[in-house]
Amino acid sequence: MFYGTDLSSRLMLGTAQYPSPAVLREAITASGAEVITVSLRREGKDGGAFRDILKDSGCRILPNTAGCHTAGEAVTTARMARELFGTSWIKLEVIGHADTLQPDPFALVEAARILCADGFDVFPYTTEDLIVGERLLEAGCKVLMPWGAPIGSGQGLRNIEGLRAMRAHFSGIPLVIDAGIGSPSQAAQAMEMGFDAVLLNTAVAKALDPVQMARAFGQAVAAGQMAYTAGLMPRRDMAHASTPVFGMAELLP
């Protein structure tokens, strides 16, 4: 549940970089996603037509502050997005490093505090740092979105142990893996670890067949969630036979 909203799909899909509006529309449908993200940077001369696609999808829109490098920029962008899309949901991005696109934790917390006080439901794009996560919750966030790897890198879950620690530390908080997911297997892995959702864009939009890839991600996320709730077998250091040798008949020569 995210800010009081229950979702049946655990996949959140970005809407940038698709080869055509038609492909975007088909990919959203094929993915089964119920939440789609959009940046105000898409609002150019064809902004009205683009918004029609988003509206027709029937999905919940999660605007984002992509491209912002200061808390002030992010706050201003979020307020514009609320007016434009009519939603209090905002994916908060405040980039601090140009090469890795790693979020600036200080500006991120500052912007989150302002936006939460202003009535926004903030989805902060952050790292797996536990202290930053604590500060974001203190600022009023009720969801955390740690990166799997740098945006668009396709590296998957680069810090497995750090993400496991975050999942264990914030056991009652919805956590969404955001950024760096490059394949359906990586998305399934995140869900098997107990994360609540996965948000991705490039891996679908830049695929040879975005529609087929969107369908694959939707099924992978669902499979990972199903496996987690079913209870994954623990890893063992030694082999463990499925048929025990104790109690078996001993055949003498």
Side-chain angles (χ1 to χ4, degrees), residues 3-184:
Y3 291 104
T5 299
D6 280 320
L7 302 171
S8 58
S9 172
R10 303 297 183 115
L11 177 64
M12 299 180 179
L13 195 64
T15 56
Q17 306 182 75
Y18 286 82
S20 72
V23 171
L24 169 60
R25 186 181 293 107
E26 290 183 54
I28 293 172
T29 300
S31 72
E34 294 177 71
V35 175
I36 51 178
T37 65
V38 59
S39 169
L40 259 65
R41 292 178 179 270
R42 295 298 307 276
E43 294 298 311
K45 62 181 181 179
D46 297 324
F50 180 65
R51 287 196 300 275
D52 287 342
I53 294 175
L54 303 184
K55 182 179 178 180
D56 293 343
S57 72
C59 295
R60 178 125 192 184
I61 297 175
L62 176 61
N64 67 53
T65 62
C68 293
H69 293 265
T70 69
E73 288 179 343
V75 169
T76 299
T77 302
R79 287 171 174 163
M80 292 172 60
R82 181 166 61 182
E83 291 297 319
L84 188 61
F85 295 105
T87 178
S88 61
W89 280 23
I90 191 72
K91 179 190 168 188
L92 179 61
E93 296 183 29
V94 187
I95 301 303
H97 192 272
D99 292 333
T100 63
L101 300 181
Q102 179 174 329
D104 179 334
F106 308 102
L108 180 66
V109 172
E110 179 185 354
R113 184 174 293 110
I114 294 170
L115 292 174
C116 288
D118 195 22
F120 281 89
D121 298 322
V122 178
F123 294 69
Y125 164 61
T126 183
T127 65
E128 65 275 22
D129 189 290
L130 301 182
I131 305 303
V132 177
E134 290 282 8
R135 297 295 179 268
L136 288 167
L137 295 180
E138 291 170 5
C141 299
K142 294 181 176 10
V143 177
L144 298 174
M145 302 183 77
W147 65 349
I151 294 172
S153 69
Q155 295 177 21
L157 307 182
R158 195 166 63 169
N159 182 2
I160 295 289
E161 293 310 313
L163 289 169
R164 288 191 192 280
M166 189 176 198
R167 178 65 284 178
H169 185 72
F170 298 111
S171 59
I173 302 298
L175 300 182
V176 180
I177 292 294
D178 177 18
I181 297 296
S183 68

Side-chain angles (χ1 to χ4, degrees), residues 220-239:
V221 167
Q225 170 66 13
M226 190 182 302
Y228 175 74
T229 56
L232 294 162
M233 68 172 288
R235 293 183 60 178
R236 300 187 175 97
D237 293 331
M238 300 290 291

